[in-house]
Amino acid sequence: MPSPIGHSLAGATIAWCAESIRRTPLDSRDRLRLTLACAGLAVAPDLDFLYPPIHRTMTHSLSALGLVVVTTGLIAWRVRRNDVWYTAVTCAFAYASHLGLDWLGSDTKLPAGIQLFWPFSNTWFISSLGIFRATDLGAFFRIRVIVSNALAVLRELLILTPISLCAWWLRNRRIRRPACSD
């Protein structure tokens, strides 16, 4: 399954994509906030590492995704009272990117995958594609594990960086366009 580096890059990419299609650009502070929020939300499902028996279950489910939509929508409504749907949907896509990347990854733990429909189903889901290498948390400071995790992160970066750079470029092009048309 992807590392926090890959997940956070995917979350930032979601924010940049959302900004590139937005009708009116956000100011620089709001752009930074949205990017950081999306990067954080893309990593957030792995906070269940703090209690290993639930890892890859409730926080890796569509139920958690629904909770993210409601929570971010309420926060956006409370803080700004505008852009509620834009914020909630963008944050939901960022959170969902974690589920998607984990589904596309390899998993060395059994059962493999994520419980996407928790608590309604105990079925584990994982793609057979194995696009992202599995990361290893056991014996973290052994050379073999360090090399394996470094290769996993390198692969994530090779796959995700071109997509991220394209999204970042489109966002910046969109932001600069209104200023150039004056």
Side-chain angles (χ1 to χ4, degrees):
M1 303 231 162
S3 71
I5 294 169
H7 285 304
S8 60
L9 185 58
T13 302
I14 297 292
W16 297 333
C17 287
E19 289 177 68
S20 69
I21 62 172
R22 186 179 164 81
R23 207 174 285 221
T24 56
L26 295 170
D27 65 35
S28 61
R29 228 165 86 198
D30 286 341
R31 280 196 308 270
L32 178 62
R33 285 180 184 154
L34 182 66
T35 301
L36 292 175
C38 287
L41 282 167
V43 176
D46 279 341
L47 290 175
D48 62 5
F49 272 120
L50 298 174
Y51 186 62
I54 65 165
H55 183 54
R56 301 177 294 127
T57 60
M58 63 181 67
T59 61
H60 288 70
S61 70
L62 295 178
S63 302
L65 180 60
L67 184 62
V68 166
V69 171
V70 171
T71 304
T72 56
L74 288 172
I75 291 169
W77 180 78
R78 178 90 173 145
V79 172
R80 297 185 49 112
R81 297 208 189 252
N82 60 359
D83 294 334
V84 173
W85 282 109
Y86 170 80
T87 303
V89 169
T90 302
C91 289
F93 272 108
Y95 192 92
S97 73
H98 186 107
L99 308 181
L101 292 183
D102 277 5
W103 179 74
L104 288 169
S106 300
D107 194 358
T108 56
K109 296 174 191 74
L110 293 176
I114 59 174
Q115 283 190 341
L116 191 61
F117 296 110
W118 179 94
F120 308 107
S121 170
N122 290 329
T123 305
W124 294 83
F125 294 89
I126 192 160
S127 167
S128 61
L129 298 174
I131 292 174
F132 299 101
R133 290 175 53 109
T135 51
D136 191 358
L137 296 175
F140 193 74
F141 294 107
R142 291 206 170 141
I143 295 296
R144 179 190 59 77
V145 173
I146 291 171
V147 169
S148 177
N149 286 341
L151 290 173
V153 170
L154 181 61
R155 185 171 187 168
E156 292 167 21
L157 291 174
L158 287 172
I159 293 168
L160 296 173
T161 299
I163 299 165
S164 297
L165 288 174
C166 183
W168 181 78
W169 179 79
L170 287 171
R171 180 204 72 161
N172 286 341
R173 183 172 170 245
R174 171 81 170 100
I175 290 167
R176 289 188 181 107
R177 191 177 330 151
C180 294
S181 63
D182 290 340

